[in-house]
Amino acid sequence: MERKDYLTTGELAQLMGITKHTLFHYDDIGLFQPEHMNEKGYRFYSIDQIEILNTILVLRDLDMPLKEIQTYISQRNPELFQQIFLERESQITQQIKKLQAMKKWMQQQRKKIKIAEQTDFSMIEINTYPQYYYLYKKADPSSTQSFSKKLNELITQLQKNNPYLDYDIAYFQYSKNVEHGIYDAYDNVALLMTQKPAIKNCQILPSGKYLTAYHIGHWNTIGETYERILNYKKERHLKTSELYIEYDVVNSFIEKNTDDFVTQIEVEIIG
């Protein structure tokens, strides 16, 4: 053996930007073995093997399992090469879509936090909102487990069809209760979205003017904010729809102290 025609494990690892351990592992599993091993057990690789190792590393970087790489290396031909790369291109396309959706979701969350930081939560105001979409399920008002189960069903349904679509968890209350001082008649859960999901049972909240207020603190004191809303309506002779919409602006995802949680309450102005 001419030493100049071969590379040691360390030399090849340094040349290819990998560790010696990687080469030892590839040898152990029969994926990539040295062309020569001397009587002391030292491994030597020929210059001609660099191209094969580079192919292995490229396929590995494409997240191809080592067993599949081993199969390809042992059976490689132009047709198999085309098939593998077409499959990997398709997978990469899906990964790009997923990452783009994740990036958009993160941008939306940052935007929500920025808006929350700039909002005066003591105000009651009239805002114009675009059309919203929602998914809705009835729940047992006496069972926390029922709410969790129904919410999980909605989220699973949404993520199956529209992964990383931004949504707010919402609850609907009705004027027949609110106007009689009943502020905890929670019997439903919903997912509220600005973008229409690809789901048949999606429902719509119309665009228009909405009376908007914010409740700071735990939900069990939310009646204080509903009383402010009712007084505001009475003083200005406003008529509103039957549906009050509650959703979190600041929750446990952002704050750890429940006293700092913020719930937004909206009701459409009619007439």
Side-chain angles (χ1 to χ4, degrees):
M1 181 187 76
E2 291 289 336
R3 173 65 181 86
K4 63 181 180 180
D5 295 330
Y6 287 84
L7 299 170
T8 65
T9 303
E11 289 170 339
L12 181 59
Q14 184 177 16
L15 178 65
M16 303 302 292
I18 58 177
T19 66
K20 291 195 293 184
H21 176 75
T22 297
L23 291 173
F24 293 153
H25 178 59
Y26 289 175
D27 186 9
D28 290 341
I29 65 175
L31 174 59
F32 181 73
Q33 297 176 314
E35 189 170 294
H36 178 74
M37 183 178 293
N38 67 13
E39 64 279 0
K40 294 183 180 181
Y42 291 113
R43 298 169 171 86
F44 294 91
Y45 300 86
S46 72
I47 299 297
D48 294 336
Q49 288 184 279
I50 292 177
E51 188 172 350
I52 294 298
L53 179 57
N54 187 60
T55 300
I56 292 171
L57 297 178
V58 168
L59 295 175
R60 184 196 65 176
D61 289 344
L62 292 174
D63 293 329
M64 189 173 181
L66 293 181
K67 285 187 177 180
E68 290 185 23
I69 295 175
Q70 191 166 9
T71 299
Y72 171 72
I73 294 298
S74 64
Q75 302 176 6
R76 61 188 182 277
N77 58 61
E79 291 76 16
L80 185 57
F81 176 88
Q82 289 279 8
Q83 177 187 336
I84 287 175
F85 272 67
L86 281 173
E87 291 173 357
R88 292 295 153 183
E89 284 179 27
S90 177
Q91 292 175 7
I92 289 171
T93 299
Q94 293 302 314
Q95 289 171 350
I96 290 172
K97 289 181 179 179
K98 179 179 178 179
L99 290 171
Q100 288 175 334
M102 291 175 65
K103 180 180 178 181
K104 183 178 180 181
W105 180 84
M106 292 172 68
Q107 290 172 335
Q108 290 168 331
Q109 300 312 304
R110 289 196 299 107
K111 182 179 179 181
K112 286 181 181 179
I113 293 172
K114 186 175 182 180
I115 291 173
E117 290 174 337
Q118 298 172 346
T119 300
D120 181 355
F121 295 134
S122 66
M123 296 287 292
I124 294 180
E125 54 192 358
I126 296 174
N127 293 319
T128 300
Y129 293 126
Q131 181 171 273
Y132 276 72
Y133 305 90
Y134 68 93
L135 300 175
Y136 173 94
K137 277 187 180 290
K138 297 287 286 185
D140 180 356
S142 65
S143 170
T144 303
Q145 186 176 3
S146 174
F147 276 92
S148 298
K149 180 180 178 182
K150 298 301 181 181
L151 176 59
N152 184 62
E153 289 175 1
L154 288 176
I155 293 174
T156 300
Q157 181 186 17
L158 179 64
Q159 291 184 342
K160 180 180 178 181
N161 294 275
N162 301 88
Y164 297 103
L165 183 65
D166 188 39
Y167 63 86
D168 288 301
I169 299 171
Y171 304 92
F172 296 156
Q173 296 216 52
Y174 298 92
S175 61
K176 63 181 181 181
N177 294 318
V178 171
E179 291 174 4
H180 289 85
I182 302 172
Y183 309 120
D184 59 354
Y186 295 103
D187 63 356
N188 62 81
V189 64
L191 299 183
L192 193 62
M193 296 151 284
T194 57
Q195 183 178 340
K196 185 177 181 180
I199 299 175
K200 290 183 179 180
N201 62 344
C202 173
Q203 300 183 62
I204 295 175
L205 287 174
S207 60
K209 293 183 177 181
Y210 284 74
L211 190 61
T212 305
Y214 303 91
H215 175 69
I216 302 174
H218 196 279
W219 67 268
N220 58 15
T221 61
I222 203 166
E224 300 169 2
T225 303
Y226 273 107
E227 289 173 5
R228 290 172 53 224
I229 293 172
L230 294 175
N231 289 332
Y232 187 96
K233 286 171 54 179
K234 183 177 180 180
E235 291 170 0
R236 291 161 178 77
H237 306 289
L238 296 175
K239 292 183 179 181
T240 59
S241 75
E242 297 292 310
L243 188 67
Y244 287 81
I245 307 144
E246 297 179 15
Y247 59 92
D248 294 335
V249 175
V250 177
N251 56 19
S252 58
F253 190 71
I254 303 171
E255 284 281 358
K256 62 181 180 180
N257 189 348
T258 56
D259 291 338
D260 295 322
F261 288 3
V262 179
T263 303
Q264 184 164 326
I265 304 172
E266 300 171 0
V267 60
E268 185 184 12
I269 297 173
I270 57 178

